[in-house]
Amino acid sequence: MARKRKTWYAILGLLMWKPMSGYDLKKMVEMALSHFWSESYGNLFPTLGALVDAGLASRREDTTSGRRRHVYTITVKGRRAFERWLAEPTDPPQTRNEFLLKFFLSSRRSLDESIALLEVYRAQQRERLAEYKESEAVLESAARSRQMPESLASVFGTRRPGRGGENELLLIYLTLRHGVHAVEARLAWIDEALRALRARKQRQRKERT
Amino acid sequence: MARKRKTWYAILGLLMWKPMSGYDLKKMVEMALSHFWSESYGNLFPTLGALVDAGLASRREDTTSGRRRHVYTITVKGRRAFERWLAEPTDPPQTRNEFLLKFFLSSRRSLDESIALLEVYRAQQRERLAEYKESEAVLESAARSRQMPESLASVFGTRRPGRGGENELLLIYLTLRHGVHAVEARLAWIDEALRALRARKQRQRKERT
DNA sequence: TCAGACATGTAAGTCGTTACATGATTCA
DNA sequence: TGAATCATGTAACGACTTACATGTCTGA
């Protein structure tokens, strides 16, 4: 059956910006999409080959620089495939959360074990929130000055895009905000869960006397 | 290198409750963990075999019922492995969200395309929230009466667990609450993103005149 | 009697990561 | 000169899903 091929479309979508090498693509993912997407070379390069075989992208050797370099360009067929994918329904995000599994199963040991897991999780999420907030500040100041931050300009190519071309910047900001909302929700949940578990512990202690 | 084997530990953790067959395990996952975990038969049965080979579980043929049935019991070695896993750090949840990928890439088409994607996403999330709220109500009334709901009792075995044994119920409730918080956060983000995109659209329309 | 639940499994394929392997260029 | 970055790829493995395959028992 026809499967997802998420990497195919991720690459095609990025090639909508400009022709790029595998290395460039990897950087773009890391600079702009790392909060919600990742690609490894071991997946990227074979997929680029498959894309060329399928006629969705073309490869050309770049001889302008001394280095050996393969530049990939999206084809008309590739654009159509990308647009079809955009219009398709998106399947709901995965239903596998290792932390929640551990948390649930920890209850077979003791409530203290569950509480300890939550406390570690809280520390992780707080750290992540701090990172996100830092990126957020960078993006907000960039938006005010209408200048792409250095790191993004280097992968997107334009430092001062004209006429609304800074949509990239807005979309990067919004996807980051998604992360912020998610982390804040997790922190709120952690507090709620800690309160509930501590209350239950109290009650059990009383009942045992 | 030693990889995750999440299914191994999921199964071991569930076998901490009681000995079960592959079919029972599948049901337990579906009844109690489906918001954050899934297992397919094609994964479950081979893993059960591997667990037996590794000495972490034992298999015995159940002859009491007419049906052919394999019951798996966690071994002492299995318990130790489970406890080690619980104490290990949990790696942060995956960084691949197909919706956000689509949303980000859609900006190459038009802001209207991005807005349309958000609206579909919002409808999905609202629906999911309604489902969660329904389960929540069931669990809350169960907690008040201190009785496990029928469906859960059938997989956990006890309808009226004594002395704090209803921790399962609390943990199931809390993991569901995690889902509620997550969906609500997504809805809040969607509203924020829609406002931002519409404002940007306005501005671009004005600039074009 | 027949639908629905019980029950177990295999084969093929997809997706992805990690480790390995190699080498060129640039700049301090 | 040597570290960092640029640059491309393969091999092996791991984890999981889907589709296929097969059969039994229970109760309306």
Side-chain angles (χ1 to χ4, degrees), chain A residues 16 79-90 167 171, chain B residues 99 101-121 194 197-198 201 204:
Chain A
M16 291 289 284
R79 269 166 212 276
R80 277 204 300 264
F82 170 69
E83 279 153 24
R84 264 201 308 281
W85 171 75
L86 265 191
E88 263 169 27
T90 306
N167 283 349
L171 271 278
Chain B
F99 166 77
L101 178 68
K102 233 174 223 189
F103 176 64
F104 177 74
L105 296 176
S106 72
S107 66
R108 270 280 89 174
R109 304 270 306 145
S110 72
L111 290 180
D112 285 324
E113 192 110 16
S114 309
I115 289 169
L117 281 175
L118 279 177
E119 280 165 346
V120 172
Y121 194 48
L194 280 173
L197 291 176
R198 285 180 180 138
K201 228 181 95 181
Q204 287 179 9

Side-chain angles (χ1 to χ4, degrees), chain A residues 15 22 30 35 44-46 51 54 57 60 80 86 98 102 105 108 122 128 151 174-175 179 197 204 206:
Chain A
L15 291 180
E30 241 138 56
H35 317 101
L44 206 43
F45 284 109
L51 248 27
R60 77 165 192 278
R80 277 204 300 264
L86 265 191
E98 191 178 8
K102 235 176 222 189
L105 296 177
R108 270 280 88 175
R122 181 168 58 183
R128 178 170 295 199
S151 58
L174 289 178
T175 50
L197 291 177
Q204 286 181 10
K206 263 187 222 147

Side-chain angles (χ1 to χ4, degrees), chain B residues 1 21 23 42 45 67-70 96:
Chain B
M1 47 141 289
S21 70
Y23 194 82
F45 284 107
R67 271 196 197 88
R68 165 175 169 248
R69 205 179 121 85
H70 296 162
R96 277 185 149 220

Side-chain angles (χ1 to χ4, degrees), chain A residues 99-173:
Chain A
F99 167 76
L100 286 179
L101 177 68
K102 235 176 222 189
F103 176 64
F104 177 74
L105 296 177
S106 72
S107 65
R108 270 280 88 175
R109 303 270 305 145
S110 71
L111 290 180
D112 285 321
E113 192 110 14
S114 309
I115 289 170
L117 281 174
L118 279 177
E119 281 165 346
V120 172
Y121 194 47
R122 181 168 58 183
Q124 282 173 1
Q125 296 299 316
R126 280 179 176 165
E127 214 172 300
R128 178 170 295 199
L129 184 59
E131 289 160 20
Y132 283 0
K133 285 290 180 184
E134 218 171 296
S135 305
E136 203 183 276
V138 170
L139 290 175
E140 274 163 1
S141 94
R144 271 193 299 278
S145 67
R146 305 193 66 171
Q147 287 240 327
M148 271 225 175
E150 186 59 58
S151 58
L152 291 175
S154 76
V155 293
F156 281 99
T158 37
R159 186 137 172 80
R160 291 225 47 171
R163 310 184 114 283
E166 73 269 36
N167 283 349
E168 283 90 70
L169 200 52
L170 177 60
L171 271 278
I172 289 170
Y173 175 71

